[in-house]
Amino acid sequence: MRGGTMPDGRNLPVRPGPAISFEFFPPKSEAMEERLWDSISRLAPLDPLYVSVTYGAGGSTRDRTHRTVRRIVEETSLKPAAHLTCVDARCDEVDEVIRDYWAAGVRHIVALRGDPPSGVGDRYEPFDGGYANAAELAAGIRKLGDFEVSVGCYPEKHPESASFDHDIDLLKAKIDNGATRAITQFFFDADVYFRYLDRVRKAGIDIPIVPGIMMQSNFEGLVRMAGLCGATIPARLFDLFDGLESDPGTRELLTANVVADLCHDLCDQGVDQLHFYTLNRAELALATCRLLGVRPVEMAA
Ligand code: FAD
């Protein structure tokens, strides 16, 4: 249940449903920019806790991420969370980005190590003079301002990690250095999340572990993505999407169904916060939120 106060002093109605947040990526073209802002304006009335904006490999979107985050601050009442990585940059360069965010009014950063510039799956080499990993970056961010810091975590283990224990030790290091929320890599089976949550809680970690929900209806693209980041796609989904390569409309409807089922499974077992990887498209997130009882605040009373 959530309520609160609008900037103009009106009380928000308390309503059922989980707290939500949305991830966007910075647009590359004018057409993509239009789609992003259309999505932001359609999702904003759902009153997300925050909206995050990704940071391209090797800082390739540094300016675009910054521009997008800044526009969210200036033109909306949403709270942006800027993703930031350690890749290919010295600490002083990353610190400059952090200071710029602070100056722009941004108070939440998603601190990530990032993937090797040569491609996911290659061995990661920390940049000379740079932050070595997300734990170091979290500490650097906290040193420069009273930011809220979120980090990534991996219900199926990070593909580079030797063991779950090692992964969880690293998550602890990120928390010791100031992280207050972990957002998971995507997954498709609620049991995978709850098994991980159990491990994490047994290790004494008590911050929110927020399920990251992937909204990708291009199944081939999803399989590629999952392969790179070590997420399992259950056999039932291969079966479900089989033969629909040239039928995006049906894939879209099925994706809405798959995602809503997963979210229901999670929320029925006590999850109260979800993070949606929107891929800059509003429809799937809007449909899923409706199915979960999350409505625009004006309609929720
Ligand atoms: P870390 O937690 O620092 O480490 C990940 C793994 O690296 C560890 O599990 C371990 O195997 C190894 N490792 C790290 N430190 C050590 C050490 N000291 N000794 C030994 N091994 C070590 N990528 C982007 O480029 N841009 C984004 O905007 C972005 N957003 C993301 C958002 C979320 C919610 C998630 C889950 C991931 C995101 N990623 C993004 C991908 C992320 O950058 C990759 O998953 C990356 O490989 C790991 O990042 P991390 O912050 O989890 O790394």
Side-chain angles (χ1 to χ4, degrees), residues 1 16 23 35 59 65-66 71 78 103 112-113 121 157 172 178 182 209 222 231 237 252 267 280 288 296 299-300:
M1 299 280 234
E23 179 187 288
R35 190 167 90 184
T65 299
H66 201 276
R71 193 168 159 193
L78 297 167
L112 300 145
R113 186 198 67 181
K157 195 172 78 52
K172 271 187 180 164
I209 306 292
L222 181 69
L237 295 193
E252 188 90 356
C267 294
N280 291 6
T288 307
M299 293 170 55

Side-chain angles (χ1 to χ4, degrees), residues 53-76:
V53 182
T54 60
Y55 198 73
S60 55
T61 66
R62 172 179 163 158
D63 292 339
R64 281 186 282 129
T65 299
H66 201 276
R67 242 192 342 267
T68 306
V69 169
R70 214 186 164 103
R71 193 168 159 193
I72 291 172
V73 174
E74 286 167 359
E75 297 183 18
T76 76

Side-chain angles (χ1 to χ4, degrees), residues 55 83 112-115 133-134 154 158 161 167 170 174 277:
Y55 198 73
H83 291 216
L112 300 145
R113 186 198 67 181
D115 286 312
N133 53 40
Y154 302 86
H158 188 277
S161 200
D167 234 19
L170 282 165
K174 299 189 220 187
Y277 299 119

Side-chain angles (χ1 to χ4, degrees), residues 12 18 22 27 44 61 64-65 69 80 86 88 96 109-110 125 127 132 141 143 163 206 211 214-215 217 219-220 296:
L12 286 177
F22 300 116
T61 66
R64 281 186 282 129
T65 299
V69 169
C86 311
D88 262 359
E96 191 188 319
I109 293 181
V110 183
E125 294 292 347
F127 194 71
I141 293 167
K143 211 157 70 190
S163 68
D206 60 1
M214 178 53 73
M215 318 210 95
S217 63
F219 192 66
E220 265 178 63

